[in-house]
Amino acid sequence: MKYDVYGIGNALVDVQSQVTDETLAQTGFDKGIMTLVDNDKQQALLGQLDADSFNRCAGGSAANTIVGIAEFGGRVAYCGKVGNDSMGEFFLEDMRALGVSIETTPATEDPTGTCAILITPDAQRTMLTNLGASGILAADDIIESEVQQSRYIYIEGYLLCGPATRSAAYRAIELAQKHDVKIAFTASDPFLVNTNRDEIWELVEGPVDMFFCNEEEARSLTGKEDAIDCAQEIHQHCENVALTLGANGSILMHGGQVIPIEGVNVEAVDTTGAGDMYAGGLLYGITNGMDWQQAGKLASHAAARVVSQMGARLQNKFTEEEIKTITE
């Protein structure tokens, strides 16, 4: 296979800034969740903040996961829509510099999507997203040959939020099934599970081979309280389940077995990308010869490292020796 994973998601340029709780409260946005905003509202907000504190990188949920796999040395491709503007050029150059294969026809009228990530002292991130061109990613943007040459496709749940992006997600699923490519899907956000519960269940019960979620998403999906009960309920319908528990680690379900993965004790600075990086570590592991316990350990360490720094990118990559030590 040419690729370990082919990711499909909202192509966004992340603009991160550390803010106080008081500053966040003044914005009027709910803490710790993602809110869709228009371009004018987002630009007005960014204008109120200290531009010197901004950190910029190519982002979006699936893009973060694909970058994580690439940083471990995996072979990856990505499908997302950008605008024909400087932000779009930045996104493509940033991804390609990391070894990600990405081919897309930029939108001519819509600007590149951006996500303002406001990080408070408790490491919580509040995301204000202007989808821009990413919102018009469509079925025709999915490249069949790229899907065919991948071991997994990885789809972010955020694509279910719009008709065009939903069509892209289902086209990718259709092509994966046609070419016997495994399908991984992430719930993305509790609000999305709350509003698309029936559709997500249909995916879990149907084509999805691996389902990623956190504890809150799992509870919303199943109606159960205990994390293991949630994981087992989902596993009755899905071959593989990865349920993250924050600092308490995660639960993997594979072959009818509960595989507990310990958390890694670190001081959290910014939780942006924790779940994305976990997915990257796990997908890299299982597509590169690791068993589920080993891949889970690597994923847990990857998530811990990314929350101990600013941003969704690993500032200090794992060395081959570190990976070997973690997975022994």
Side-chain angles (χ1 to χ4, degrees), residues 14-287:
D14 286 346
V15 181
Q16 300 149 340
S17 180
Q18 289 181 304
V19 299
T20 64
D21 285 304
E22 291 75 18
T23 298
L24 179 61
Q26 290 171 10
T27 69
F29 291 102
D30 292 331
K31 184 178 183 179
I33 67 171
M34 191 278 286
T35 303
L36 293 176
V37 298
D38 60 30
N39 188 61
D40 291 342
K41 185 172 291 186
Q42 188 184 78
Q43 292 304 312
L45 172 71
L46 293 175
Q48 299 173 23
L49 304 176
D50 179 8
D52 292 336
S53 69
F54 293 162
N55 177 55
R56 187 177 71 161
C57 67
S61 176
N64 290 338
T65 294
I66 291 300
V67 165
I69 299 169
E71 289 180 324
F72 279 116
R75 301 162 301 163
V76 289
Y78 179 75
C79 179
K81 198 75 168 178
V82 298
N84 187 22
D85 52 24
S86 61
M87 281 288 199
E89 291 177 3
F90 171 82
F91 184 96
L92 296 176
E93 290 173 0
D94 198 32
M95 294 288 277
R96 288 167 179 160
L98 294 166
V100 178
S101 176
I102 177 169
E103 299 299 330
T104 184
T105 302
T108 56
E109 297 182 3
D110 297 88
T112 298
T114 50
C115 180
I117 303 173
L118 308 183
I119 304 155
T120 43
D122 59 359
Q124 284 294 309
R125 79 280 190 276
T126 302
M127 298 181 292
L128 309 176
T129 303
N130 170 34
L131 291 174
S134 71
I136 61 171
L137 176 73
D140 290 346
D141 292 304
I142 306 300
I143 303 173
E144 182 170 0
S145 61
E146 299 284 80
V147 174
Q148 184 178 5
Q149 297 178 88
S150 304
R151 297 186 64 184
Y152 268 88
I153 63 169
Y154 179 76
I155 300 171
E156 65 178 66
Y158 289 127
L159 295 184
L160 301 183
C161 293
T165 53
R166 178 186 275 108
S167 72
Y170 280 97
R171 176 59 175 165
I173 289 170
E174 175 190 343
L175 293 174
Q177 291 178 301
K178 175 182 176 181
H179 297 292
D180 294 320
V181 174
K182 288 187 175 295
I183 300 165
F185 181 89
T186 177
S188 292
D189 197 285
F191 94 90
L192 190 132
V193 178
N194 291 334
T195 56
N196 298 77
R197 185 177 294 106
D198 291 345
E199 184 174 12
I200 291 174
W201 261 126
E202 289 177 4
L203 291 169
V204 169
E205 293 173 342
V208 171
D209 299 287
M210 185 187 305
F211 182 67
F212 289 90
C213 60
N214 62 28
E215 196 168 5
E216 186 177 353
E217 292 157 357
R219 287 171 175 162
S220 176
L221 187 63
T222 65
K224 297 181 180 296
E225 185 66 24
D226 181 76
I228 293 180
D229 290 343
C230 291
Q232 290 177 327
E233 174 69 19
I234 299 168
H235 189 42
Q236 290 181 22
H237 308 281
C238 187
E239 181 181 2
N240 305 297
V241 180
L243 195 164
T244 58
L245 306 170
N248 294 321
S250 60
I251 298 168
L252 299 179
M253 298 294 303
H254 174 71
Q257 300 298 311
V258 179
I259 306 172
I261 304 296
E262 292 185 0
V264 178
N265 186 26
V266 295
E267 183 178 349
V269 174
D270 171 18
T271 57
T272 304
D276 301 334
M277 188 58 68
Y278 180 93
L282 190 69
L283 285 167
Y284 170 78
I286 63 172
T287 57

